[in-house]
Structure formats: structure tokens, C-alpha cells
Amino acid sequence: MPRASLATFLIVTSLFSTASHLGTLASGAQPDEDLSALDVVSKIRTDWGSIVRASLDFGHIVETTPMGVFHPASPSDISALIRFSLSQPAPFTVSPRGQGHSSRGQALASGGIVVDMPSLQGHNGGDHGRRVNVSVDGMYVDVGGEQLWIDVLAATLRHGGGLAPRVWTDYLRITVGGTLSNAGIGGQAFRHGPQISNVQELDVVTGTGDMITCSRSQNSDLFFATLGGLGQFGVITRARVGLEPAPKRVKWVRLAYSDVRLFTADQELLISKAAGFDYVEGQVQLNRTLTEGRRSSSFFSASELARLAGLTLDTGSAAIYYIEGAMYYDGYSAATVDQKLEALLEELSFLPGLVFIRDVAYVQFLDRVGQEEQKLRSAGAWDVPHPWLNLFVPKSRIHEFDAGVFKGILKDAKPVGLLLMYPMNKNKWDNQMTAMTPDEDVFYAVGLLRSAMGPGDLERLEKENEAVLGFCDRAGIGCKQYLPHYASMDAWRQHFGNKWSWVAELKAKYDPKAILSPGQGIFPSARTSSTPTLISAS
């Protein structure tokens, strides 16, 4: 059956059955539960538009139909929904969804209920539903799990002469609860750790319907499990995130390399420094991408891209690498920051003359991907399949990975998208949390963030991803997937390693019926109504 017809069939079938099924569930409640059950059902939408939006995520690879979409007015509504599910003979699954920025259906709920988290901000008025509250004295912000990071930034900058969280993901139009359920990484993580390392307190609605406040000292097992816990233990409804004074300006730098060993050595030097860049990331540009691919860039000018493309021809390199660094300053010390930058650059081994510097506002720098998004949307290149693969690679194996993947499997590829490669310090991660990293002091985040733009692209990219994972497995590289996706419980056990028994115990404690975030596929859910559909590559 063609893709569109199959999707229509699934959704229509769901809509015919859902309304009567929800009514049956509500009518089956005990007398003292009638009002609560009816209130829950009244907030569940089963209209065509709601179901369609909740059937897909950013990846556009997995498509699955929920029973309905729940629109809570408060965290207590989410608690009521979960308790309502548990009151049923066969509890339905519940999946919180912010922006649905997963790529493999992790935010979907086949035959269950998707919780529309943004609904939480629309009922109280004020500053984003009064769910972004800054404490200047405490240097923290209390923020609803449904809030977008771009809105958190706008709110914190208005206080204390300008405040901001320490760590950002590259894309800010995703939710606080979503990134904290994974880890939340970016170019500041080498210094401050991931976003989850900068959280002081959480409000969580567990899979038993309990509303629990937790921190390092209060209900600490839930706190550590939830941060990086892939939504398996509870729904994050509030997070307290540490703040620091926000800079005004950024020296934004890119440095080009043709030798991967010099590239990684300089990156590792930069993340070891107590002072220097405030942000460090790196990218890989394959030869064909530069010489034949899309040549537009919001950072590089056309002439600069031409120089980089010529570099691949001159050196014969299969790839060009560049470090992306940022040095923050207050806007009044441009001369001082220029001196600091010049001294730092003298320590590095980039190709002579291939240093590119921009001076931009802090907000412009942080929201750089949001600006790219607008261009991609206007070009029809945003709502396409995104078969992304994100890995954490041990430092000791990064050159082997580079040789096998960038100079091997992907050597002749011409990808549309980004190839990221940058190091982080493991001592900035809290091993008590659920997020998994390699067992080395330094490891690299490698992101194959590619888009399928034409017929056959999705199938080809999926095969390349499988080849990359197969290579890592055969070579024993010891990678860990970030934003992980596995098809079996055995694979999940391997992912969590010696944390698996702890994860399973906490799942049994906080979500004993396994109703939360079923799209992750970690634990068998209590009720499976339908099977996710893989979208055809054709």
C-alpha cells in the first residue's frame, strides 16, 4: 500500500474506534472516579489534525497512530491521565511530546495517548504561562518542561543585567523536558558538562501518577534516573537550571585542517584549557560535499567556500575538518578579547591563512541553527526524513573511526546535512545519571545529521548508518549511541551495561506497568494496540 494511503487508512481506522473506546473507558470508572475520568477524557482530542501531528516526529521515518492527544492545563492533569490509564484492565501507554524532535519515533505512542506538553503554557498568561521564573539571588531559573530553550533564553536575559544557562544545544527550538530526558549537549559541554549536569531540581510525574519533587538530596534515585532517562521514569514538568551572567558578544571562529590528527590534537588542547574558547565543536566536510554539493553557508562566504573546495583538490584529502570555537565577551572589551584570541590561535596548528572570524551578538550565535531552519523551510528542505545517527566515540579510537567511516564508508558520499565531530571531558558528566558515555576520560560526539532529499535517499542513508554501526561493532570501538535507538531489549541491556539492573529496578518502582514513553522500545509496554509503520524509502 502506498505511503499516503496507508497513513490515511491507519488514521481513519483509529478515528472510527477511538471516540467510542474512550467513552467506554470513562463509563467503566467507579462512581467516585466518574468526574475525574470524564475530565481526563474531555481533554483528549481525536480530530484528524491532532492525530496526524502526533503520528510523526522530526525524523519522518516512523509513523504510528495514537488513540488520542491529551491537552493538559496543569501537571496535575498529567497525573490524572496516568492514574486513569492505570485504572483500566489494560492500561494505555502515555508519551509526552514537546516538539517531537526525535528521529525514530521516540515521542510517539502507538495505540496510546500522546501528551501535548506545550498545552501547559497556554492557560495562566504572563511570561510563557508563568512557567519561566528567574531567581536573580539564587542564580537559577525554574522552567516548565514544555518550554522552548529559545524562550528560556529570552526570559533570563531580562533579569540581573542579563543571565543565561551555561550549556546549550545547537538548536534552541526544542523543549527543556526533551533535552533533559536525553542529556543536552553542545559546544559548552566540555567546560560545564551536558545540560543535565546543570540541573538542581525537578518536578516529575511518575508512571504511578505521583507528582514528586526531586534533587540530589531529595528523592535522589528518581532525580538521577530521570536526567538522561529517555522518559522512562516520569514526565518532567519543571526543572531548576543554574544560571550565569550572560555575555553580550561572541568572537565566532572556524579553523580549517586537512590532517585529522592535527585537528583532534588541537580540539583536545582546547578542551583541556581552563581559559580559552567558551565553546568548542568541530565539523567534517567530505570532499564531494565541498566540490559538488550544496555550497551555501550562513557563516562562510562564497569565496571562502571556494577556497575550502580548492584545498581538497590541492591536498588530495578525502575530507576537510574545521574547529568551530567561540570566545564570549561583554561588548566593551573588544581589544582585550582580540589579544586573547590571537594568543590562543598561535598555539594551534590549523592551515595557514585558513582562519575565519566573525563578531556577532550572543543571541545571534546561540540561535544560529534557528536562522538556518528558516532558510531550509523556505526551500522545502526541513520537513523531510532525517535518518540521524549520533555516537559517542572513545578518544583512543577516533582516528580509527575517521579512517573507517569518513575516509571509508562515506568517502564518496555527498550528504545534505552536517557531520559533527568534537570532544568532551567525561569528568563533567555525572555517572549517577542514566545517560551513557564511553569509559574514557575524553570522548567525541560524532553526529551524522543528514537529510533524505530525493527518491532512494532514505534507503541509502539507512544502509550507510547500518554500515557505520556494523564497522564500530566489528572493530570493537566501544561507541555509545546518543539519542539511542535499538530494536531489542538485549541491545538496550548492552547500551546500559552495568547500569541495566539499576535502570530495570527503577523502572519497576516508578513505572511498574511500563506505560511511559513506549516509543523508546526499551521495556515491553503493558498494552500494545498497533504496530509502528516504517515509512517507505520510495
Side-chain angles (χ1 to χ4, degrees), residues 387-420:
W388 287 6
L389 178 62
N390 290 274
L391 301 171
F392 290 153
V393 181
K395 167 189 167 181
S396 65
R397 308 300 294 275
I398 192 64
H399 295 148
E400 185 177 353
F401 181 93
D402 174 77
V405 175
F406 296 130
K407 297 185 176 72
I409 296 168
L410 303 182
K411 179 180 179 181
D412 295 320
K414 189 173 63 175
V416 175
L418 295 176
L419 302 177
L420 301 179

Side-chain angles (χ1 to χ4, degrees), residues 221 224-225 432-434 499-507:
D221 62 342
F224 291 126
Q432 298 177 89
M433 296 175 184
T434 320
K499 288 186 182 179
W500 172 254
S501 60
W502 173 71
V503 168
E505 288 172 8
L506 289 172
K507 182 69 170 179

Side-chain angles (χ1 to χ4, degrees), residues 452-500:
M453 298 298 297
D457 279 0
L458 178 58
E459 182 178 2
R460 174 178 57 80
L461 294 172
E462 291 278 58
K463 287 181 178 178
E464 289 176 356
N465 285 343
E466 290 174 7
V468 170
L469 292 172
F471 165 76
C472 292
D473 185 54
R474 289 190 303 274
I477 286 179
C479 297
K480 291 292 184 183
Q481 285 193 33
Y482 178 61
L483 310 177
H485 167 73
Y486 298 101
S488 70
M489 187 176 288
D490 284 343
W492 280 109
R493 287 194 185 97
Q494 184 176 355
H495 172 78
F496 285 112
N498 58 15
K499 288 186 182 179
W500 172 254

Side-chain angles (χ1 to χ4, degrees), residues 287-469:
N287 187 311
R288 288 192 63 197
T289 307
L290 284 168
T291 58
E292 303 174 32
R294 294 170 66 241
R295 298 279 292 280
S296 63
S297 170
S298 61
F299 184 93
F300 292 118
S301 67
S303 62
E304 288 169 341
L305 281 170
R307 288 177 63 193
L308 291 171
L311 182 63
T312 65
L313 299 175
D314 293 341
T315 63
S317 175
I320 294 299
Y321 310 84
Y322 56 84
I323 290 175
E324 183 172 42
M327 192 172 284
Y328 301 159
Y329 69 107
D330 62 12
Y332 301 103
S333 56
T336 300
V337 76
D338 284 341
Q339 291 172 1
K340 288 173 57 180
L341 178 57
E342 184 178 354
L344 181 62
L345 294 181
E346 287 178 355
E347 299 182 51
L348 305 178
S349 302
F350 55 90
L351 289 164
L354 291 177
V355 54
F356 308 91
I357 302 174
R358 306 287 184 265
D359 190 304
V360 298
Y362 179 62
V363 174
Q364 180 184 349
F365 171 72
L366 291 183
D367 194 34
R368 60 199 180 281
V369 178
Q371 297 163 35
E372 288 289 336
E373 175 191 352
Q374 300 309 311
K375 296 178 183 178
L376 292 171
R377 283 189 182 278
S378 63
W382 184 259
D383 293 319
V384 298
H386 300 96
W388 287 6
L389 178 62
N390 290 274
L391 301 171
F392 290 153
V393 181
K395 167 189 167 181
S396 65
R397 308 300 294 275
I398 192 64
H399 295 148
E400 185 177 353
F401 181 93
D402 174 77
V405 175
F406 296 130
K407 297 185 176 72
I409 296 168
L410 303 182
K411 179 180 179 181
D412 295 320
K414 189 173 63 175
V416 175
L418 295 176
L419 302 177
L420 301 179
M421 180 175 165
Y422 61 94
M424 287 180 277
N425 294 309
K426 188 178 177 71
N427 64 5
K428 299 298 183 180
W429 292 63
D430 191 326
N431 197 46
Q432 298 177 89
M433 296 175 184
T434 320
M436 299 303 299
T437 61
D439 294 326
E440 290 193 6
D441 292 342
V442 172
F443 60 89
Y444 278 75
V446 176
L448 309 183
L449 311 184
R450 304 180 294 170
S451 301
M453 298 298 297
D457 279 0
L458 178 58
E459 182 178 2
R460 174 178 57 80
L461 294 172
E462 291 278 58
K463 287 181 178 178
E464 289 176 356
N465 285 343
E466 290 174 7
V468 170
L469 292 172

